[in-house]
Amino acid sequence: MKILVTGGTGYIGSHTVVELQQKGYQVVVIDNLSNSNEAVLDNISKITGIRPDFECFDLIERERTLDFFSRNSDITGVIHFAAFKAVGESVAEPLKYYRNNLVSLMNILEGMQLNKVPFLVFSSSCTVYGQPEELPVSETSPIQKAFSPYGNTKQISEEIIGDFLETSDVKCIALRYFNPIGAHESSLIGELPLGIPNNLVPFITQTAIGLRSQLKVFGNDYNTPDGTPIRDYIHVVDLAKAHVIAIERMTNGNNKKALEVFNLGTGNGQTVLEVIKSFEKVSGEKLNYVIVERRAGDVEKVWADTRFANAELGWKAAMSLDEMTLSAWNWEKAIANK
Ligand code: WQD
């Protein structure tokens, strides 16, 4: 079976390509390399022995996208990762985010419809929940006003898909990620933020390896055990495996609705200081960090109710926080030695 992975040279995309290939799927990747590089495909083939087919173009180009689908009518499913995802950048450049994330999705949907591609897995996000009133947050928790244009593009995307499915035979599973961290055990693929990392874990490992002088911890005056915000950190490989399961759920006809939504988290909330402590334990490094003022747009605490995904998908995140931070550190050391 042939699966299109958009954004397949990116962080979660590349790890999903590996899991798909190892389950016997043929994979074709589309990526515009705006936030990743093509060498990732060579590293994927070092892990799996297969270099995925690859086309480099921008999915906001409608004709190019429709032409791709007409040339690849044997595609069974699409896993759509390609999107901009930096929360802070989206506040500074909202139109760039709405145009890129929404137009590329609509072109994908149009291409699927024209060529009768039946299944879509959509990369969504826990940011659709904003700051939940109740925790843990479940798939039926209220969707709140997004904290950022990025989060809003995910909310609007889910609505676009819902309306589109009313008019087509496409089936979709939307996966709402919590905080993906860590790297493949081979240390051949991992998170490769271009420039200064927005996210916590790459900033930690880059500080420890000496690329950054000090980690700033954005606020310790939250209503949490140690005052720092709580997130549900999940290993990127656990996350990738869920995407293969989602495709299989639809190809086996086990999906129960045209659009199904699942939270992908561990169900455990951890504070920023707990992540730092885990990193220091597994790496043996003392991390240089300082507490500063809060970052605008941060929610105080969010973690997933994973019972629905556990029960319906038969999937459960397996890796511990220490395994996640150790894999991130091994990856950082591997790229430093390249
Ligand atoms: C985590 C915690 C920060 C950096 C991310 C993605 C978003 C979505 C959800 C997929 C927060 C703190 C961070 C730093 C810090 N993923 N922090 N110092 O904001 O939860 O959102 O996951 O859709 O796209 O951005 O993740 O890693 O930026 O922050 O103290 O230098 O770490 O305040 O509490 P976030 P993050």
Side-chain angles (χ1 to χ4, degrees):
M1 251 186 238
K2 187 172 173 182
I3 303 292
L4 164 60
V5 177
T6 72
T9 54
Y11 176 40
I12 306 170
S14 56
H15 286 82
T16 302
V17 170
V18 165
E19 297 304 320
L20 282 167
Q21 290 185 327
Q22 289 180 335
K23 292 283 278 199
Y25 289 91
Q26 185 194 345
V27 176
V28 53
V29 167
I30 296 176
D31 204 297
N32 66 2
L33 301 180
S34 64
N35 196 22
S36 57
N37 54 55
E38 193 174 345
V40 167
L41 300 176
D42 300 321
N43 290 333
I44 286 172
S45 58
K46 282 182 195 148
I47 297 169
T48 64
I50 311 159
R51 195 179 196 275
D53 295 335
F54 172 58
E55 294 200 23
C56 180
F57 66 89
D58 211 321
L59 290 164
I60 56 172
E61 294 173 47
R62 179 168 177 263
E63 294 314 315
R64 288 285 304 267
T65 303
L66 299 185
D67 168 64
F68 170 86
F69 277 98
S70 60
R71 288 184 286 108
N72 290 270
S73 54
D74 54 345
I75 285 174
T76 304
V78 178
I79 305 183
H80 181 44
F81 291 106
F84 293 150
K85 65 122 198 158
V87 172
E89 185 188 45
S90 79
V91 174
E93 299 185 75
L95 293 184
K96 173 181 172 183
Y97 271 66
Y98 286 114
R99 181 175 297 113
N100 182 69
N101 292 5
L102 300 181
V103 172
S104 54
L105 169 67
M106 288 186 278
N107 290 339
I108 289 281
L109 295 175
E110 187 178 3
M112 288 181 72
Q113 184 157 42
L114 285 177
N115 294 276
K116 302 198 180 349
V117 177
F119 306 123
L120 170 67
V121 175
F122 176 65
S123 166
S124 190
S125 166
C126 67
T127 45
V128 303
Y129 298 117
Q131 174 56 67
E133 258 106 47
E134 281 176 24
L135 286 165
V137 67
S138 80
E139 291 82 354
T140 53
S141 295
I143 301 298
Q144 305 218 46
K145 178 163 173 31
F147 268 59
S148 68
Y150 160 77
N152 205 22
T153 66
K154 291 301 182 183
Q155 286 184 10
I156 298 168
S157 293
E158 286 190 15
E159 288 169 17
I160 290 172
I161 291 168
D163 290 343
F164 166 75
L165 295 180
E166 296 292 323
T167 68
S168 86
D169 295 330
V170 172
K171 305 290 177 244
C172 177
I173 291 180
L175 300 175
R176 291 176 181 164
Y177 311 152
F178 284 70
N179 286 56
I181 63 170
H184 191 266
E185 60 187 359
S186 65
S187 294
L188 285 167
I189 54 174
E191 192 166 8
L192 257 182
L194 304 182
I196 300 173
N198 288 298
N199 295 125
L200 175 65
V201 171
F203 209 110
I204 287 176
T205 56
Q206 288 193 10
T207 301
I209 204 96
L211 285 174
R212 309 285 159 207
S213 55
Q214 182 179 56
L215 168 76
K216 290 186 176 67
V217 172
F218 298 132
N220 69 344
D221 57 349
Y222 288 93
N223 178 22
T224 63
D226 60 26
T228 60
I230 294 174
R231 295 288 184 278
D232 185 333
Y233 298 95
I234 177 169
H235 197 288
V236 66
V237 173
D238 281 333
L239 199 61
K241 289 180 188 299
H243 289 72
V244 183
I245 291 172
I247 284 282
E248 283 166 352
R249 178 177 174 86
M250 293 187 284
T251 54
N252 296 335
N254 295 331
N255 51 314
K256 293 174 181 163
K257 291 192 299 185
L259 174 58
E260 292 185 310
V261 177
F262 294 97
N263 284 345
L264 295 187
T266 64
N268 307 313
Q270 256 116 12
T271 69
V272 172
L273 291 180
E274 283 170 335
V275 175
I276 292 171
K277 208 173 290 137
S278 163
F279 173 78
E280 292 184 325
K281 183 171 86 178
V282 301
S283 65
E285 302 281 334
K286 184 86 187 78
L287 190 73
N288 179 9
Y289 68 90
V290 63
I291 309 281
V292 298
E293 65 287 348
R294 295 182 175 192
R295 177 174 70 175
D298 274 338
V299 298
E300 179 173 75
K301 45 192 167 190
V302 60
W303 64 92
D305 179 339
T306 60
R307 285 174 297 177
F308 186 53
N310 300 154
E312 282 298 315
L313 297 180
W315 166 90
K316 186 165 174 48
M319 296 245 236
S320 69
L321 182 61
D322 288 354
E323 288 169 305
M324 298 183 219
T325 52
L326 179 59
S327 68
W329 180 229
N330 290 338
W331 163 246
E332 191 67 63
K333 289 188 287 183
I335 44 183
N337 296 332
K338 274 203 172 88

